[in-house]
Amino acid sequence: MMKRAIAVSLLVGSACLCSCADQPVYRDPEAPVERRVEDLLARMTLEEKVMQVTQWTYGKNMNVNNVEQEMKAVSPMIGSLLYRSTSAAFYNQVQRKAIEESRLGIPILCGFDVIHGYRTIFPIPLGQACAWDVEKTGESCRIAARESRLSGVHWTFSPMVDVARDARWGRVSEGYGEDPYLNGVMGVAAVRGYQGDDLSKSDAMAACLKHFVGYAYSEGGRDYHYTEISPQSLWETALPPFEMGVKAGAATVMSAFNDISGIPASANRYTMTEILRDRWGFDGFVVSDWNAVEQLKAQGVAADDAEACLKALTAGLDMDMVDDVYRRSLPGLIADGTLPEEVLDEAVRRILRLKFRMGLFEHPYVEELPDSVRYLRPEARAVARELAAESMVLLKNKEAVLPVRGEVKRIALLGPMADNRVDLMGSWWGQGVADDVVTILEGLRAEFAGKAEIVSCAGCGFDGDDRSQFARARALARQSDLVVLCMGEKRNWSGENASRASLALPAIQEEFIREMARTGRPTVVLLSSGRPVDVRGFESEVDALMAIWQPGTEGGNAVAQLLSGKVNPSGRLAITFPLCAEQQPVYYNRRQAARPRSGRYQNLPHDPMYPFGYGLSYTTFSYGTLRLERTTLHRGERLAAEIEVTNDGTCDGKETVLWYVSDPVASISRPMRELRHFEKQSIPAGESRVFRFEIDPERDLSFPDATGERHLENGTFVLEVNGRRVEFELI
Ligand code: GLC
């Protein structure tokens, strides 16, 4: 093999171009990217190509010695590293090794799971979706990109835009909820936040749309499990957020663990090539999920690594994450003619293209700055605090027990989340550090300083059956004017491989809530979770309930500002809260049923606990008449709609108006309604604002069939806002 490689390198060497005497084209920053790609590719040996399509993990833990040892083990030809160290110095050493010790000096692309922040941790994506603040999600990703790049990370395995409708699935925390359009809009904001307008800038980070495609259909909410996705659902629900992300310029895509009607996503040519490239024009590269190539054997479509490699690469999977199957299998497959080298070349081309676009050949190293300059800057904390406050959803507020009234002079802050740092960060906490986190107790003490005394104890654990602290908690509750119970999930109860059969809190937490509520003091429950929670066990016994999700580094301050009324809650659910796991699937945009009022459970109410889009405020908003500029529409025209919303309460607030379209009669059965636009505005008390939506028939009224072909059919459509409906005709 080596002889062939040397011979090939000498041969191709003569075919390469030089922009001047000693400067090969690929090293010329002025040369067009495609010419640089071709010039470099032509110079590469088979071994160098194989290493480019390989990603290893690096820095398995934060033990400095290990990282040093692993650094020595890293081949200078490696194409990519799943890079876990925060040390810019180590990164520079690793990169310098690649550039100075390899023959062609190709920089390493370092990726990491920056899902909702790097060191400054923002709310989990599901929480961000409930904030409906597209701009702030984009800002959070811009900040994450800056902190990442200063740590040696060029590429994030984010945003996840899997449309999830089963809260038993732990990764529901990681996407933007149950709606395809909302996932798409938030995913685009994340892509643009990470990548900016120029990937070659030193604070730009390549995005990665994941998991392509259909991962969230995992049966029963189990992870990595069998998925049953109809072609119609694939095109109508699972694919749209990815198409929006690709059209927004996402640099990479990650293939998913699941299969699609028997063909694993990581060996699925239909999705990774025919759809992603041939139809959508994607020119980035596809990376596998962790070990997903090797797992093709477990999925029963490959007898050995070589077959897994062959199927994945020819399907369009360009880079192999961590299992090393490509590196071990490709030389043999090419040597024996099973796999044409051109197929490998195309994968290498796509990877090199990103490295050139990111300017890594010109600027491979990072400035070695202190953590105080790199991380947690005031602006970062401010965005984290604001986004966390906007993400929280007020679900119940009986007799306006919130915001905390002036006569409240002592607050009992109880529950396992009251003084908890680590679980406020949620899953996929990046390089978040628990000590950076403001606890709810710290937040309240700061916010209510001089106004109310905060007394606190946990009172109960997350689970188990220890009631030994109930009495102390009960005593604090009785001595206080308000009881705030901070309850919920540990961060590892959601996220990857964290499916839970029940959505209810552990019995000890439910019992504790009921016990504290029985003291007769006004009782508020703050629910920190990575998923919708079954609240039936306590909801009726408490006065207020707020979903705070896993709000991140500034979570405690955000909670405190909502409780004090400094910030008015504006969150709305991006995912339905079912009554219980058994009620699922229950999501808003279901298809029209044959007998909508029948076929219901005999032993469970039909409606969910809280529907998609639900959320309360401390003020009240009234909606005016839904107005259409006309009631007929032709193709190629647009139809303007507007509605006036008035804040007729006593405090300023933000309102998100959700615009739905439905297509009551079409050539196929369509969802009962589909979110097509939303807008969030601040409305001062006593004032009104007009919200507008301009209907574009092609964009908003057409639908894909099971082949992805879009159909726009004449007929009656319905526009719906906050229960107001108006019909119009496409003619
Ligand atoms: C995991 C996840 C994926 C993540 C990758 C790298 O298994 O499925 O979302 O980006 O591996 O950590």
Side-chain angles (χ1 to χ4, degrees), residues 255-530:
S255 72
F257 290 129
N258 57 288
D259 74 279
I260 301 159
S261 301
I263 301 175
S266 298
N268 198 309
R269 184 170 180 79
Y270 174 61
T271 51
M272 288 194 290
T273 295
E274 291 179 36
I275 296 177
L276 190 59
R277 297 185 185 284
D278 300 347
R279 292 175 76 154
W280 293 350
F282 176 64
D283 74 346
F285 72 82
V286 180
V287 62
S288 76
D289 201 338
W290 185 284
N291 280 358
V293 176
E294 184 176 45
Q295 287 166 190
L296 294 174
K297 295 183 289 186
Q299 288 177 285
V301 297
D304 54 31
D305 282 353
E307 188 175 10
C309 172
L310 182 65
K311 288 199 168 183
L313 193 65
T314 52
L317 204 165
D318 304 302
M319 181 182 282
D320 176 19
M321 180 185 282
V322 179
D323 61 27
D324 230 12
V325 168
Y326 277 18
R327 189 181 65 84
R328 292 196 308 266
S329 306
L330 279 171
L333 287 167
I334 288 172
D336 68 16
T338 307
L339 179 77
E341 191 161 348
E342 294 70 39
V343 175
L344 171 59
D345 287 353
E346 186 52 32
V348 174
R349 199 173 269 123
R350 293 162 179 166
I351 294 163
L352 296 179
R353 182 176 295 132
L354 180 58
K355 294 185 177 182
F356 283 120
R357 283 177 177 170
M358 293 196 77
L360 292 183
F361 285 79
E362 284 70 51
H363 312 291
Y365 307 115
V366 298
E367 200 179 351
E368 297 172 17
L369 299 172
D371 287 4
S372 59
V373 172
R374 297 193 290 172
Y375 305 136
L376 297 160
R377 298 200 310 183
E379 175 228 13
R381 279 195 177 266
V383 172
R385 184 169 54 253
E386 291 158 13
L387 188 50
E390 287 197 79
S391 71
M392 298 175 184
V393 185
L394 183 60
L395 300 170
K396 180 179 183 180
N397 192 20
K398 194 169 93 180
E399 294 167 12
V401 69
L402 291 177
V404 175
R405 298 189 181 113
E407 60 266 25
V408 170
K409 296 304 176 194
R410 174 184 284 217
I411 298 172
L413 189 72
L414 309 171
M417 289 300 292
D419 197 20
N420 178 303
R421 296 180 196 284
V422 72
D423 296 302
L424 277 187
M425 289 195 286
S427 60
W428 294 108
W429 61 90
Q431 295 293 355
V433 172
D435 286 349
D436 301 335
V437 174
V438 177
T439 69
I440 297 172
L441 176 58
E442 289 165 342
L444 261 67
R445 285 209 163 126
E447 181 68 20
F448 287 91
K451 299 173 198 164
E453 182 190 3
I454 312 295
V455 294
S456 180
C457 76
C460 88
F462 280 97
D463 50 14
D465 59 4
D466 175 5
R467 294 170 181 75
S468 63
Q469 293 302 303
F470 274 38
R472 180 159 175 254
R474 190 179 294 112
L476 289 179
R478 285 196 175 120
Q479 297 159 13
S480 302
D481 307 315
L482 179 71
V483 177
V484 178
L485 304 177
C486 309
M487 316 304 290
E489 294 187 323
K490 289 185 175 180
R491 70 179 177 185
N492 62 4
W493 292 5
S494 62
E496 183 172 357
N497 198 13
S499 300
R500 293 174 72 84
S502 165
L503 303 181
L505 296 178
I508 191 81
Q509 289 198 45
E510 293 194 336
E511 181 185 337
F512 180 74
I513 294 169
R514 290 191 298 268
E515 283 296 306
M516 295 309 113
R518 284 186 192 127
T519 61
R521 293 292 184 276
T523 303
V524 176
V525 169
L526 302 177
L527 197 54
S528 177
S529 67

Side-chain angles (χ1 to χ4, degrees), residues 82 113 157 171 210-211 254 257 289-290 321 428 496:
L82 201 163
D113 290 287
F157 306 128
R171 304 197 78 167
K210 72 184 187 182
H211 304 77
M254 181 184 289
F257 290 129
D289 201 338
W290 185 284
M321 180 185 282
W428 294 108
E496 183 172 357

Side-chain angles (χ1 to χ4, degrees), residues 521-554:
R521 293 292 184 276
T523 303
V524 176
V525 169
L526 302 177
L527 197 54
S528 177
S529 67
R531 58 165 50 85
V533 171
D534 172 353
V535 298
R536 291 175 302 164
F538 55 87
E539 185 274 339
S540 61
E541 304 200 29
V542 300
D543 301 286
L545 174 62
M546 188 183 294
I548 68 168
W549 307 110
Q550 285 149 341
T553 307
E554 281 288 317

Side-chain angles (χ1 to χ4, degrees), residues 210-226:
K210 72 184 187 182
H211 304 77
F212 194 64
V213 61
Y215 183 24
Y217 280 72
S218 212
E219 201 168 55
R222 298 177 184 85
D223 208 348
Y224 317 125
H225 251 69
Y226 176 74

